[in-house]
Amino acid sequence: MSDMPARRRWWTRWWPQSLLGRLSLVMVAGLLVTQVAGSAIWATQLRARADADARSAAQYLGQGAASSIRFFRSLPPSYRSLLIQQLREMGGTRFFVNLNRAYVPVPPIAPNALADTALATVDATLRKDLQHDQFRLAFAWPERLAVSPDGVHLGELPENWVRHILLPKPDPAPILVIQTELEPGNWLYMATLMPNPYFLSNNDPLSSDRLVLQGLSLAAVLLLSILVVRTITRPLAALSDAAEAFGKDEHTPALPVTGSREFVNTARAFAAMRDRIARYIEDRERLFISISHDLRTPITRLKLRAELLDDESLRNEFEEDLDELDMMVKGALQCVKDSDIHENPTDIRLDSLIKRLVRSAELAGHSVAFDGTSVVVRGKPLALKRAIGNLLDNALFYGERAEISVREVDGWVEIAVRDHGPGVPDDAFPSLFEPYVRLAHGRERNDGGMGLGLGIARGVIESHGGKLLLANHPDGGLNSVIRLPA
């Protein structure tokens, strides 16, 4: 169980985060696995067929060699040289034949399973047909092959002796050499080619030309696959950018209604949704403006009538209810007004923006510590100033003095506003962003507030693609951290 988190971290580290990367990785991995599995199956079948062909060809060759050995054994020793000379003058037979006084050492080719199978089959065939003879078998390359004990090589022989039997050039093939002792001191030397001279290279599934061909085909398929995946994911990226810009209240051009049928339907649905949300926001603004206009007059009229009441206790109750109603109306209007700030995003120098807030707080008699910064973010200046201002006001109201710091961390800009108050109970954090929620010590120090500042600040920060994090500072007080994209 302890290895699971480590494996999960390894997996997430190498797993791409973008759809293009994930689809490309899956397609590349699928193609590679398919190519490797197909090549393995094909190589297995090719090796099996090559092994069967080599056994059949070697058996046929062994039977021919056994017949030739029996024929030369039946001739008188004095006739053998004459017959070999006649065969050479006539162009030879299937075998290049030579008579030697001793065994000729043959430098074998590199170990090869197919060549070993052929040698074993030839040896078994010869032993079956010639039961009492001993044989020396080997495959050799023409340029290193000696044909006599005195060191005469194949390349030193007349061309007409070997050109119809062996392939010394231009593309040499491995030569099968069979040597057997006819009588003491008389060795028969036979050299020939397999029926398929290039049986070792033609049946190699990992030959360079085949690997190059498979590599080119795989590269072409992968390139086309990646292009197709990119074509599919590009509209999704445009849709994501449009949704993000709309969430930040930025005006972006309409999505192109082109491409696949699914994307066209999605683009149309997104455009319709964006229009409906825009109309809803406009209707909400008009509604609250109407509420502001319609409720102020009757509230004022009720306050005037309450002044005419003779019963003082009843008059005070009416005035308290009307003040509470007036506060709720003003709070709702302030919430809408502070959240819907229509301005274009621009580059904001946090140093100058925060210093203006600090200067205003100091003129009001508060103590704010700020060391300055050179960080620049992109956003809406008035909205961001209102969000930071709300956090600073809370810190000064409930914590006596405040500290503001700015730093860049892992692609984020963090603006921390810390107060030196009593902090917030752990069970109260989930409700801090709800409207009209105020803690006990907040009501004591700021009885004119309405508990809307944190909710407004969070809405503004989230519209900038950021987060508002609240936590008690280890040294006391509440630490409010704004995280904005760098």
Side-chain angles (χ1 to χ4, degrees), residues 394-405:
N394 286 345
L396 295 175
F397 276 126
Y398 309 135
E400 298 179 357
R401 57 191 178 92
E403 297 176 1
I404 302 179
S405 60

Side-chain angles (χ1 to χ4, degrees), residues 30-42 214 218:
L31 285 173
L32 287 176
V33 170
T34 303
Q35 190 83 358
V36 170
S39 298
I41 294 173
W42 174 72
Q214 290 183 355
L218 179 62

Side-chain angles (χ1 to χ4, degrees), residues 347-357 370 372-378 384-385 388 404-408 413-415 484:
D347 291 338
I348 304 172
R349 292 180 57 87
L350 292 178
D351 186 72
S352 58
L353 185 147
I354 296 176
K355 280 184 177 179
R356 286 196 298 269
L357 295 174
F370 176 60
T373 180
S374 60
V375 177
V376 177
V377 297
R378 186 164 185 82
L384 193 58
K385 180 181 178 182
I388 300 175
I404 302 179
S405 60
V406 179
R407 63 172 185 166
E408 292 185 87
V413 173
E414 290 189 351
I415 306 171
L484 297 173

